Amino acid sequence: MIIPPNGYNAVGPPQSPLDWLAFLHGKLTNQLPDMWRYAQYYEGEHQRLAFSQARYKAEYREVFENWRDNFCGLIIDSATERMSVEGFRLPDAPGFDKDARSFWQRSSMDVLSTAVHLDAMVQGRAYVLVWQGPDGEPSIQPVSAENMVVQYKPGSRTELEAAARFFLDDWGQQWVTLWTADYVYEVKRGQTEWENGARTPNRLGMVPVVPFHNRSRLAGDPYSDLANIIPIQSAINKVTADALTASEFCAWPQRYVTGLEITEDDQGNPVEPFRVAVDKLLQAEDPAAKFGQFEAANLSNYCDLVNLLIQHMSSISRTPSHYFLVNAGAAPSGEAIISAEAGLVAKVRERMLYFGESWEQVVRLCFAIKGDERAKEFAMETVWKDPEYRTEAQHIDALLKLRQLNVPEEQLWSDAGYSPSQISTFREMRKADAKAAAEIQELGPQPERLGPADPTAPNEAKAARMAAKSPQGNAGNANRKIHEQK
């Protein structure tokens, strides 16, 4: 458990490190309940089934305890699985920036970047810390929004004034770190008194934390993609619970008998008159007895209501309906699937716009740690993998048409989905192929050349006369020989 100092109650911005920690910890504490709730719905650990009556919950709680009918994870995953960073490009340099790719690979961001996108869409925010590692190289470290909080400068939506991380490790020891543009204040591991922290200068001159906010408004906080989905998911849970309860009570025909005397045992309890089974018949000696049957409950009404709620969920989240199999499992094909996924692709591209700007800031911080001038390269561009799913034939055909417009080959390779490492390998392979082709050309047969030492070779004057003379038939061979002897 994080042990904070007294709460921040002063008027105006914090001045000391302890004031900043108290203020930021209180801000983080206010955000945690919502973030935990979003995470539970994504993972399916929320209230699974809401029964209409309390007695049903008590009776069927263990029966349906492990039941999962959660679509929140599907909605998030359908978008994050289409977001993949290929590399970073500078406007005046061809191809991808190799140094930026080195920072990326060194910190295993090929995998961890997906976790950043996932947390940002689930909880509304995520953070990335950029700091110098023990080897002097930049280190990129994703941090959950449950452990970190930031404060922007007054009137700014891009510049940070302070950031703090509150982390509790597996042994119950707390880690507390505060970053400002002027200093870094760090409380030693396991230390509970925050006033005993160490203050060191911040040589970067900026807060080394980059927020990943999920489509935040100008005057509001970033929001989770599940904010509008959770009420519908809860309604689906309720209807599903009612359907399961109905299936337990009245999903089969109920038989009844009238005009039959009720037999009781020695204690006065009624005795079941029949043992109903597939291979048994019901009979009664009393001619007044009549047998009948109640029809089984129709559960299709519950299915129709669930399908209606899923359609609303699909529309609000812009997730294609075939992801939910609401069309009896028949998925569209060809142009129909491209049209059906247009809303999802547009949503993913919008998230790429927000997240791409944050990744560019991360790379600029890496260059700042190295003292590189590219730390001020604000024209840097994040290159994403194409989020639109197409058949291989359609994709390659489109690229071949782009080649007719003189689009460079490296750009076509990138659009085809090849990674920067593969493209770099392609360049070397092209050079090796050209070198091998030149060597084969030199080893091949060469045209015959008559040197000056050849006694049969005519001199220049004779060769000129031979070239100027028009060709003749066989009848003029004798005259030609006489002419040549002159």
Side-chain angles (χ1 to χ4, degrees), residues 51 60 120-121 124 128 266 371 395 413 479-480:
F51 292 91
Y60 295 108
M121 294 191 68
V128 171
D266 297 337
H395 196 186
W413 290 340
N479 294 331
R480 186 173 65 252

Side-chain angles (χ1 to χ4, degrees), residues 281-354:
L281 296 176
L282 304 181
Q283 62 180 7
E285 296 180 357
D286 190 343
K290 295 181 180 180
F291 295 87
Q293 175 178 290
F294 295 110
E295 293 296 328
N298 185 6
L299 300 181
S300 62
N301 295 329
Y302 296 102
C303 299
D304 294 339
L305 181 54
V306 170
N307 286 338
L308 178 62
L309 293 173
I310 290 177
Q311 290 177 9
H312 288 192
M313 181 181 289
S314 173
S315 176
I316 293 175
S317 65
R318 288 192 289 178
T319 306
S321 59
H322 59 267
Y323 274 52
F324 300 96
L325 301 179
V326 295
N327 298 322
S333 59
E335 295 295 331
I337 195 170
I338 296 178
S339 177
E341 295 182 351
L344 176 61
V345 173
K347 170 185 172 181
V348 172
R349 291 189 185 278
E350 186 181 31
R351 298 303 187 275
M352 287 178 176
L353 180 65
Y354 287 89

Side-chain angles (χ1 to χ4, degrees), residues 188-361:
K188 292 183 178 180
R189 173 183 176 182
Q191 183 66 253
T192 58
E193 289 78 16
W194 289 2
E195 61 271 12
N196 295 332
R199 176 171 173 167
T200 57
N202 184 356
R203 68 179 187 86
L204 285 179
M206 64 184 75
V207 179
V209 175
V210 180
F212 282 74
H213 286 169
N214 187 47
R215 200 185 178 194
S216 59
R217 298 177 54 212
L218 293 178
D221 294 330
Y223 71 92
S224 168
D225 271 27
L226 300 179
N228 295 327
I229 302 301
I230 287 178
I232 302 178
Q233 179 63 61
S234 299
I236 292 175
N237 293 342
K238 165 65 171 57
V239 175
T240 303
D242 291 343
L244 293 175
T245 305
S247 69
E248 284 289 322
F249 279 101
C250 50
W252 61 89
Q254 296 283 345
R255 295 182 178 89
Y256 64 87
V257 181
T258 61
L260 186 67
E261 183 180 356
I262 299 177
T263 306
E264 298 180 350
D265 57 13
D266 297 337
Q267 287 77 26
N269 299 319
V271 178
E272 186 178 359
F274 302 104
R275 293 289 182 180
V276 181
V278 176
D279 57 345
K280 295 182 181 297
L281 296 176
L282 304 181
Q283 62 180 7
E285 296 180 357
D286 190 343
K290 295 181 180 180
F291 295 87
Q293 175 178 290
F294 295 110
E295 293 296 328
N298 185 6
L299 300 181
S300 62
N301 295 329
Y302 296 102
C303 299
D304 294 339
L305 181 54
V306 170
N307 286 338
L308 178 62
L309 293 173
I310 290 177
Q311 290 177 9
H312 288 192
M313 181 181 289
S314 173
S315 176
I316 293 175
S317 65
R318 288 192 289 178
T319 306
S321 59
H322 59 267
Y323 274 52
F324 300 96
L325 301 179
V326 295
N327 298 322
S333 59
E335 295 295 331
I337 195 170
I338 296 178
S339 177
E341 295 182 351
L344 176 61
V345 173
K347 170 185 172 181
V348 172
R349 291 189 185 278
E350 186 181 31
R351 298 303 187 275
M352 287 178 176
L353 180 65
Y354 287 89
F355 297 158
E357 182 65 28
S358 297
W359 285 126
E360 294 161 15
Q361 177 64 19

Side-chain angles (χ1 to χ4, degrees), residues 19-20 71 92 94 142 190 224-225 228 244 255 296 308 328 356 366 419 431 483:
D19 289 342
W20 269 117
F71 296 101
D92 298 331
S224 168
D225 271 27
N228 295 327
L244 293 175
R255 295 182 178 89
L308 178 62
C366 292
S419 66
K431 293 178 183 178
H483 180 75

